[in-house]
Amino acid sequence: MHKRDPRYDVLFEPVKIGPVTAKNRFYQVPHCTGLGWLRPRMVAALRGMKAEGGWGVVCTEYCSIHPASDDLPHPYASLWDQGDIRAHSMMTDLVHEHGSLAGAELWVGGARSTNLFSNEVAMDVASLPNSIAIPYQARAMDKSDIRELRRWHRNAALRARDAGFDIVYVYATHHYLLSHFLSAKTNTRTDEYGGSLENRVRLVRELIEETRDAVGDRCAVAVRFSADDEGGKDGDPVINEHRDMLEMLAELPDLWDINIQDYSREMGASRFIKEGSLEAYMSYVKSITSKPVVTVGRFTSPDTMVSQVNRGIVDFIGAARPSIADPFLPKKIEEGRIDEIRECIGCNICYTGDSTGTPIRCTQNPTISEEWRRGWHPEKIAPKGSDSSVLVVGSGPAGLEATRALGHRGYHVMLAEAEHTLGGRVSRESSLPGLGEWARVRNYRVHEIQQMENVDIYFDNQMDAEHVLAVEANHIVIATGASWQADGRGLFNTTPLTELGPAEQVFTPDDIMAGRLPAGPTLIYDDDHYYMSSVIAELLCAQNIPVTLVTPETIVSAWGAKTSEQSRVQRRLMELDVQLITSHGLAGFNGREAQIECTYTGARKNLAVEAIVTVTMRSPNDSLFHELQQAVDSTGGYQPGSITRIGDCLAPSIIAGAVFSGHRYARELDTEVDPDNRMKYDRVFFDDE
Ligand code: ADP
Ligand code: SF4
């Protein structure tokens, strides 16, 4: 085993948190999983895996204390009753097995909770509109409601203790109920819970004291709190009232979990926000409390982590995304294997699980959510089931991941790539504005593959059916990706546009990434709704090309709302003076004018442009696959055991989809896969109920 570099020793010091002690400084802060109370076994196994990977503290996601705080369709955890205690015990048992602490983030949603599941009327500091645009208002809490809330919170803390948690949170940020009490903007009360700073922190203070009173002999009390006030500029916080509040409460809890008002920075996509971006907000926190402090910053570099601790910014390295991308990050640092860390790329696909109410996925870690239902471990994979050789054609994320995982299983793998470099779309896309960190998808896999003696890589090898068959591999995997279409077809135009030309004035993202750029005013037609159109707009703006972006959606990069980056995308484009035209589809282009059509009225208008970039849909590059199938059927000689398409060649998707596809192929080769029920479904709480 490798040895840990002594300069990282500080990260492995135990830290006392009130009555409990964390074995090291690696702290998985509360984060959503899209699993919550709906999928208890999946979430327990996911959290347990983090503990196995060395995280000293592993927390739940936001955990409702009462049905009056219900956020479906966004799955949250809950501690409402005995069933919840049993469900959480599965998690705490797994976390404790590895000597880690388990934390429960008790949550009261206030006006932000939809309560569409429980049908309870939401309560808040005042009667406020539901902030995620549901046309219901919360009712204002009176004194007896506040007393009730305190009782619910206390009882939930007791249930958390009974479920085996070691840390219990008072959650006073992220624009939920307690932050509304703290804020002078939302707290318009005239009683002892409103007005002065002291009055506005009263409820938070009471909850801290009552939680400590209820469970403080056994559990640490943590408070999640925002370092800054509302209304600061991006990266330039206003730190005024929140500093005063923190000073007032400084020694009350056992731990401060600090974040900030702007979620799109805290959870920022790497396109906009880099590692350690909360530092400007955090600088004062440790100077006003003697209690341990944790914050996040998408930390993946152990040197940055050490620097944060040594400079007195934090005591714990908080992580959500880095712990999702690599549950074994602490272990890898501990064992001196830092070049094996699977670094988060900051794409925020993980966040779409919560946004869409579905199990969390990760671009870098295809095993997340699959720990229980498919039995996948992020670091372990079954040895090969035969001495078969495998030829993988194409080294994009699908081909690379299949090669990496097959290589780990011990198969002899031959990876053939047409280009001189590996990585496929990841290599191309990571050179687009802001997407540099995405190259980590390639770099991690290439690094692993390079260590494997059983993997051979053939660069500059454009394979045709004859070449492939000449290799005589036992299994053939086609991972040749997909190409952007130039015919305008997509969601809006379900058939190709008849008037779209001349061809030399029509571009696709593939052209742009290959360096073929338009010269004059350009219309980017976005019927893809994710990042591609907006990064191409940025690239063209940097060449001083006037850009108009047209989309049938009502906002630009609509899917980006699910990754919490839409508002930053739109702002960036507006700042770059990109003309944005929403609710319009492309009807045609004649080389001088584009015709666009309103999605509501069908009204058409013309725009004078010299070029079009169509960002609509992609065609699988599957001709090789079909040729091989035909060739195999018609020859009597060598017969491969299987020919399989994976990744974008099978069905164009996001990069996470390609990685998953490659990983799944590698897992399932030479295994018995039940064609009817390929995974377990986490549908019931307990078999005996
Ligand atoms: P995915 O996302 O499914 O992994 P990509 O488009 O990223 O797909 O990668 C496909 C890779 O396959 C590219 O690097 C491309 O150069 C390579 N490729 C495509 N066709 C062939 C071929 N016939 N022979 C070898 N490599 C190929
Ligand atoms: Fe990081 Fe992307 Fe994985 Fe989220 S999905 S943890 S942002 S790599």
Side-chain angles (χ1 to χ4, degrees), residues 227-247:
D228 60 326
D229 302 354
E230 292 159 286
K233 292 214 176 68
D234 191 20
D236 181 16
V238 175
I239 295 176
N240 194 1
E241 281 206 335
H242 271 242
R243 182 191 172 112
D244 295 343
M245 290 175 182
L246 249 161
E247 273 175 357

Side-chain angles (χ1 to χ4, degrees), residues 392-400 416-429 458 460-464 468 478-483 618 621 624 646-655 657-659 661:
V392 178
V393 183
S395 72
L400 278 181
E417 167 56 53
E419 302 284 329
H420 195 59
T421 49
L422 302 178
R425 64 180 289 191
V426 165
S427 294
R428 292 194 297 276
E429 293 180 26
Y458 301 94
D460 304 308
N461 256 279
Q462 174 80 38
M463 304 288 276
D464 58 21
V468 170
I478 304 300
T480 44
S483 304
R618 290 179 293 154
N621 301 328
L624 176 59
I646 61 169
D648 292 325
C649 171
L650 175 64
S653 180
I654 56 175
I655 296 170
V659 171
S661 174

